[in-house]
Amino acid sequence: MKAYTLRIELQDIEPLIWRRLLLDGDSTLSKLHHYIQAAMGWTDAHLHEFEIGGKTYATPHPEDDPEREIVDERRVRLDRVATTGDHFAYLYDFGDSWQHRVVVERVESLDGDQRGYAYVSAGERACPPEDVGGAAAYMDFMEQVSQRPLDEEGRRLLEWAGEDFDPARFDRHAANAALLRMAWNRWV
């Protein structure tokens, strides 16, 4: 069995928001999608797709453009499309267009059967709130809540995002608890 170490970076945001995810190379891209959702802190409320080697991978939908070739991500394993040093794109929320760069940092052979595992070993900064409007809108949001948190708009935005929202805080334990719940409940 192969163990993959991936670095996932949210593009067009400063300072960088990233996660390091360790997972079983036998995982399908569909499972990887769910692992990225948990690791980053997204809520899986929007469509997504992977772009790997010039091909688009997603879960096909009857309303997809028939001219656009989409490979069914549920049938493709990570170890069949990527290896050490490769990088690929993961797009989440076609409206907000959260573009992630996924880098395969390492692929290792593991002894024994540890199939189906995923673990976040590191990361920095909180994921943006869902539906904030994309990278540019998030940067505007951050400027407002950091420079003018007490004016009417700053208070409204913090209330909307959750008053405990801290852009500098990444809770690795919460991300791993989400991954553990997914495995325990056989959601992926």
Side-chain angles (χ1 to χ4, degrees), residues 149-163:
L150 300 178
D151 71 14
E152 184 179 334
E153 181 66 3
R155 285 193 316 269
R156 184 190 69 75
L157 288 171
L158 280 174
E159 184 178 313
W160 170 79
E163 293 184 13

Side-chain angles (χ1 to χ4, degrees), residues 55-71:
K55 292 183 180 179
T56 301
Y57 299 85
T59 300
H61 189 276
E63 293 180 19
D64 287 338
D65 178 356
E67 300 296 316
R68 187 167 180 244
E69 185 177 339
I70 296 175
V71 180

Side-chain angles (χ1 to χ4, degrees), residues 85-135:
D86 288 351
H87 60 89
F88 55 90
Y90 170 74
L91 174 63
Y92 173 62
D93 186 348
F94 296 172
D96 284 1
S97 294
W98 294 111
Q99 192 67 246
H100 301 71
R101 182 174 190 255
V102 181
V103 178
V104 181
E105 292 186 320
R106 187 171 45 244
V107 178
E108 302 173 283
S109 292
L110 288 181
D111 295 331
D113 187 15
Q114 298 178 16
R115 295 188 194 293
Y117 82 93
Y119 177 77
V120 178
S121 66
E124 289 184 354
R125 305 193 56 76
C127 184
E130 290 276 354
D131 299 321
V132 74

Side-chain angles (χ1 to χ4, degrees), residues 30-86:
S30 179
K31 284 184 180 182
L32 175 58
H33 154 69
H34 291 290
Y35 296 156
I36 291 172
Q37 289 286 301
M40 292 301 293
W42 296 120
T43 63
D44 199 13
H46 302 281
L47 296 174
H48 71 278
E49 67 184 25
F50 292 93
E51 180 76 29
I52 306 173
K55 292 183 180 179
T56 301
Y57 299 85
T59 300
H61 189 276
E63 293 180 19
D64 287 338
D65 178 356
E67 300 296 316
R68 187 167 180 244
E69 185 177 339
I70 296 175
V71 180
D72 190 339
E73 69 183 0
R74 297 169 297 186
R75 302 188 191 298
V76 179
R77 293 182 358 197
L78 178 60
D79 62 1
R80 301 290 189 224
V81 294
T83 191
T84 304
D86 288 351

